[in-house]
Amino acid sequence: MESCSGNMTVLRPIRTSKQENGEEEEETALLSPASRMFHEPNYNIHIVAIMGWKVPIEVDSVKAEIQRKLLKHPRFSSLQVMDESDGSRKMRWVPTTVNIDDHTIVPQIADDNMDTDKLVEDYISNLSTTTIDMSKPLWDIHILNVKTSHAKATSICRFHHSLGDGIALISLLLSCFNKSSDPTSLPTLPVSSSSSSFSSTSKDKSNLSISNKKSNWYLIWQYLEKFWLFIRLLFNTVVDVLLFIATALFLKDSQSPFTVARGFDKSSTRQIFIYRTISLDDLKFIKNVTNATVNDVILGITQAALSRYIQRGHEVGGKRKFLPERMRCRAAVLINLRPALGVQAVAEMIEKNATVIQGNCFGFIIIPLTIAQLENPLSYIHKAKISMDRKKRSLESQCTFYFLQLFLKFFGFKVATKLAQKVPSQTTLAFSNVAGPLEEVSCAGHPLAFLAPTCYGHPTGLMVHACSYAKKLTFAIAVREGIIPDPDHLGDDFVDSFMLIKEAALAKLRTKVD
């Protein structure tokens, strides 16, 4: 069963108990409360990993690799069964025999007279109107051997969110891959480290302590600084939690082109998925020039793209329909509170048939977005950095997690699910990012071209995911059909905004050199 107290989650082993007739009855593990929430109506969320390949896919070899590795994981070889015997409607993991052919779909959609990019996009969008059959483990893979402008072939791995969060599932998926440069080695994921600003500060303090180690004033200054940091952390947390509660109750973002209109039927509309790839090296160049983080730059590009989309074409009778300077726009971000195990640890677990797993353990943070026509494109990065630095000095995600747990305990799944659904629906977009492999990888001899994880079933009209892979970063943008009339233009705005910010960073660097 899942637990949020440590770095990993342990699925209790299946125990058996003797019955009177001498037969054994399996005692199975319960779904965690967070995983159980994803089975409530209107919160039936599926994670989708879109993968482009540099070569056509040999289906049998990929199926063999999945059979050899992924199916050893208990979540991918277990049913989720409702237990109504005591009226509690609890769900349990029940091990079953998996037929790999039931989970592998290879549609024949090739047509020389049609736009293959459009065919693949429509196929993925049509998936968003379907769910996975509960009579089998809740995952499948769709293989489209169709050449597009992005890749020679495309596959879509689909998982029900109750299997785990995006970071855990991507780590599991990558355990089926190897480095292209060394087929005997597993992929490596980036390791988070302390920011340079924090490390430089501690270095300065150590130098100061050497020169003033006998000074009582230095000790007093240390205590005062720690006290001030604590007060700031407490103040930021209280403000953020109050804004979270206000958002859950009444505080809604301004009307915008991305807002789901009242009465819009989300259950019967498709998700449109657009993905655009940019250079990760160029993104890191911008990071260095602006003294920001990769996440700051990603959020800055998102703000610039949304601003560009609104400014470009939303006018009625010669007047702007939306006034960005007066708009309240925020992003609801789901924060994984449990550190990821990593590909190496997951692969070792699978090889040893271990039952250590990770599930859903998340909290919310709400980040204000700057939607405006800024003269200097780098200003989007600076404003994103201010917002992100402010959130780093708050315990909002931890507090919202425990807040949700209290609702689960005292009010049940239905009320807790409404809360988890209400907060994102009151904001402009949902936002997430995942760190992919540092190097190029292959699965069963098939080199990967790009990786674009996203999801459908969420309550917002717009969701933005960012995923790094080797020297690339892909934005996966999910919008509800009928809300944004030209989603491809929105995708292009991400690339155009990135290029403008890069040019501004180059100009700033040249100015420094001169």
Side-chain angles (χ1 to χ4, degrees):
M1 210 176 154
E2 295 174 4
S3 171
C4 297
S5 58
N7 290 346
M8 55 182 123
T9 310
V10 178
L11 180 66
R12 293 173 182 168
I14 303 300
R15 299 191 301 273
T16 58
S17 57
K18 293 285 184 179
Q19 293 181 316
E20 293 182 358
N21 57 8
E23 296 180 356
E24 292 184 342
E25 181 185 13
E26 288 185 338
E27 185 178 324
T28 54
L30 289 172
L31 269 72
S32 71
S35 293
R36 175 64 180 82
M37 282 173 54
F38 288 105
H39 284 283
E40 289 299 305
N42 300 322
Y43 207 62
N44 195 13
I45 300 177
H46 290 71
I47 296 172
V48 177
I50 305 169
M51 295 181 288
W53 303 87
K54 294 183 179 181
V55 297
I57 298 175
E58 211 293 305
V59 178
D60 290 337
S61 62
V62 171
K63 286 165 60 176
E65 191 71 8
I66 294 173
Q67 183 87 37
R68 187 171 70 88
K69 292 186 177 179
L70 204 59
L71 293 192
K72 290 183 179 180
H73 196 284
R75 295 230 168 166
F76 288 83
S77 56
S78 297
L79 301 175
Q80 297 181 26
V81 178
M82 183 76 72
D83 183 2
E84 298 182 349
S85 58
D86 58 356
S88 62
R89 294 181 58 82
K90 295 178 180 178
M91 297 189 74
R92 297 181 179 273
W93 297 98
V94 178
T96 187
T97 301
V98 177
N99 182 356
I100 188 66
D101 292 329
D102 293 339
H103 296 264
T104 308
I105 297 93
V106 188
Q108 302 297 322
I109 63 171
D111 191 330
D112 295 336
N113 297 322
M114 296 187 68
D115 182 357
T116 53
D117 282 15
K118 182 65 174 174
L119 282 172
V120 171
E121 288 176 6
D122 284 345
Y123 184 89
I124 302 173
S125 295
N126 289 335
L127 276 182
S128 67
T129 63
T130 66
T131 58
I132 304 175
D133 187 358
M134 290 284 292
S135 65
K136 62 182 182 181
L138 297 180
W139 65 273
D140 55 26
I141 178 170
H142 301 251
I143 297 175
L144 310 179
N145 267 322
V146 177
K147 183 179 178 181
T148 66
S149 60
H150 304 285
K152 296 289 182 66
T154 306
S155 64
I156 306 98
C157 292
R158 183 170 60 158
F159 316 99
H160 194 272
H161 214 316
S162 59
L163 295 179
D165 57 52
I167 294 176
L169 291 173
I170 292 298
S171 296
L172 282 167
L173 185 62
L174 290 174
S175 66
C176 298
F177 286 73
N178 298 99
K179 296 179 183 178
S180 296
S181 58
D182 182 9
T184 62
S185 299
L186 290 167
T188 52
L189 297 177
V191 178
S192 60
S193 58
S194 301
S195 67
S196 57
S197 59
F198 286 117
S199 59
S200 62
T201 302
S202 28
K203 182 178 179 181
D204 294 338
K205 286 181 181 178
S206 66
N207 292 335
L208 185 62
S209 64
I210 292 172
S211 60
N212 300 280
K213 57 184 177 181
K214 294 183 179 180
S215 172
N216 290 331
W217 287 109
Y218 174 69
L219 294 176
I220 293 172
W221 173 255
Q222 272 194 321
Y223 287 123
L224 287 174
E225 185 180 33
K226 289 180 180 179
F227 180 72
W228 168 245
L229 291 175
F230 171 76
I231 293 298
R232 186 165 59 172
L233 178 70
L234 182 63
F235 176 79
N236 290 343
T237 301
V238 170
V239 171
D240 289 341
V241 170
L242 289 176
L243 285 174
F244 173 84
I245 295 172
T247 301
L249 295 176
F250 61 86
L251 188 61
K252 186 177 177 64
D253 279 5
S254 304
Q255 184 73 19
S256 74
F258 317 111
T259 305
V260 178
R262 181 174 296 180
F264 185 84
D265 186 5
K266 295 182 288 188
S267 61
S268 62
T269 56
R270 303 189 306 169
Q271 290 281 152
I272 305 297
F273 300 102
I274 309 105
Y275 37 94
R276 297 289 188 271
T277 300
I278 61 175
S279 167
L280 186 59
D281 287 340
D282 288 343
L283 188 144
K284 290 179 178 178
F285 165 73
I286 298 170
K287 171 186 81 75
N288 294 331
V289 170
T290 56
N291 193 29
T293 67
V294 169
N295 287 338
D296 296 338
V297 179
I298 292 173
L299 182 60
I301 293 170
T302 301
Q303 292 182 141
L306 299 184
S307 300
R308 184 182 179 88
Y309 181 85
I310 291 177
Q311 291 280 353
R312 186 182 62 244
H314 290 85
E315 294 186 357
V316 177
K319 296 182 179 180
R320 286 185 296 171
K321 184 179 178 182
F322 302 101
L323 300 174
E325 59 274 11
R326 298 182 183 178
M327 289 174 61
R328 181 196 300 117
C329 285
R330 298 171 297 165
V333 184
L334 265 67
I335 302 296
N336 179 35
L337 297 179
R338 184 189 295 112
L341 290 177
V343 180
Q344 301 283 344
V346 169
E348 289 176 5
M349 288 156 34
I350 292 175
E351 289 300 323
K352 295 176 182 178
N353 291 322
T355 54
V356 182
I357 57 176
Q358 288 188 299
N360 291 286
C361 184
F362 58 87
F364 287 96
I365 66 171
I366 300 176
I367 300 178
L369 300 176
T370 299
I371 306 298
Q373 192 70 26
L374 302 180
E375 184 177 348
N376 183 358
L378 293 181
S379 297
Y380 292 107
I381 309 298
H382 297 316
K383 290 182 177 294
K385 177 176 172 57
I386 292 172
S387 297
M388 296 293 282
D389 287 347
R390 161 70 172 69
K391 290 296 178 180
K392 291 173 186 175
R393 300 182 180 93
S394 171
L395 299 177
E396 179 183 7
S397 59
Q398 292 89 335
C399 290
T400 54
F401 166 75
Y402 289 112
F403 194 60
L404 191 60
Q405 296 306 303
L406 286 174
F407 266 70
L408 277 168
K409 182 176 181 179
F410 293 107
F411 301 105
F413 296 113
K414 292 187 182 300
V415 176
T417 302
K418 286 182 180 179
L419 175 65
Q421 183 186 26
K422 181 76 170 177
V423 173
S425 66
Q426 297 278 72
T427 58
T428 301
L429 75 150
F431 184 84
S432 178
N433 68 314
V434 177
L438 292 171
E439 61 284 298
E440 293 191 356
V441 296
S442 303
C443 177
H446 300 76
L448 190 67
F450 71 86
L451 173 62
T454 182
C455 66
Y456 65 86
H458 50 83
T460 57
L462 172 65
M463 174 167 274
V464 177
H465 282 82
C467 181
S468 61
Y469 166 56
K471 294 184 178 182
K472 302 175 182 178
L473 184 132
T474 300
F475 285 101
I477 306 153
V479 301
R480 291 197 177 274
E481 190 174 39
I483 293 179
I484 299 178
D486 48 359
D488 283 316
H489 288 171
L490 177 60
D492 294 338
D493 285 334
F494 274 79
V495 178
D496 294 340
S497 298
F498 165 73
M499 296 304 297
L500 288 173
I501 293 172
K502 176 187 170 183
E503 290 172 7
L506 285 169
K508 181 178 180 180
L509 185 63
R510 284 193 293 266
T511 303
K512 284 184 177 181
V513 172
D514 295 340

